[in-house]
Amino acid sequence: AADLLVSDWPEAHRRLPEVSAARGGRWRNESAPYLRGIMDATVERDVRQIAIVKSAQVGASEALLNIVLYHVHARPCPMLMVLPTASAAGAWSKERLADALRSIPELRALVSDKRAPASEGRPESTLSLKMFPAGFLRLGGGNSPNSYARWSVRLAIADDCDRIPRFIGAEGDATQ
């Protein structure tokens, strides 16, 4: 899987749920070719930050999910996914992430959707922290300093950034 481009990974592995705007089916880059470069840039050596300026409902949130899923499977690492609020992060975990983890056998084998018994030796996952070999995905709300504290990550992703407060109390700018 690591030999695939980030944008090729969803074409090989991703199936969209029936409830999605796309009405289910396999991910096809031809449906949104402008997302290909965004997904691939996340593993380019000198790229430190990617900003997406877009209209609503153009598939960017699904592309961000593809990036997360690719890294869980092909390049595991510590990751942080921030949405505007903790409740939005919880909903994303339940609605988008859980469905993707269940529907992709390779990921289902890596990430336990529920807490695994300690006797199995698998890392324990929760709604806001998905554990997998050689990495984790921490989900948080952009309005909470606790979403940023304690987590040293290789990949940080924020969705709906325009809805995340720039300053959080006395904590300062969380994006810096």
Side-chain angles (χ1 to χ4, degrees):
D3 56 334
L4 290 175
L5 291 171
V6 179
S7 62
D8 290 337
W9 187 91
E11 284 199 325
H13 298 278
R14 181 103 193 269
R15 184 152 189 86
L16 297 169
E18 288 296 322
V19 296
S20 78
R23 304 290 181 251
R26 283 209 153 302
W27 175 274
R28 292 188 344 256
N29 285 323
E30 67 189 43
S31 298
Y34 47 86
L35 296 173
R36 205 181 237 295
I38 294 166
M39 289 187 279
D40 293 339
T42 62
V43 295
E44 289 181 16
R45 186 172 193 67
D46 294 327
V47 173
R48 306 264 312 147
Q49 184 174 358
I50 300 167
I52 305 170
V53 179
K54 60 167 193 68
S55 60
Q57 301 299 316
V58 295
S61 293
E62 289 298 326
L64 296 178
L65 178 55
N66 287 340
I67 292 164
V68 167
L69 299 174
Y70 167 85
H71 280 83
V72 169
H73 187 223
R75 288 187 178 197
C77 65
M79 295 182 278
L80 172 66
M81 176 75 172
V82 176
L83 286 98
T85 64
S87 64
W92 187 85
S93 180
K94 288 178 186 174
E95 297 162 11
R96 300 255 179 113
L97 181 60
D99 180 73
L101 294 175
R102 274 191 306 272
S103 65
I104 301 170
E106 297 88 347
L107 297 181
R108 190 171 52 239
L110 295 173
V111 183
S112 161
D113 203 21
K114 297 191 180 354
R115 295 175 69 105
S119 62
E120 289 184 20
R122 292 183 69 188
E124 295 181 347
S125 291
T126 64
L127 185 64
S128 63
L129 181 63
K130 300 300 180 186
M131 303 292 295
F132 47 90
F136 62 82
L137 172 63
R138 167 69 165 108
L139 300 164
N143 61 342
S144 169
N146 290 333
S147 294
Y148 306 99
R150 291 189 21 221
W151 305 103
S152 181
V153 298
R154 182 172 19 143
L155 183 61
I157 301 172
D159 197 5
D160 290 330
C161 297
D162 55 333
R163 295 183 183 154
I164 297 174
R166 181 153 180 208
F167 295 97
I168 306 168
E171 300 287 329
D173 188 344
T175 63
Q176 300 303 316

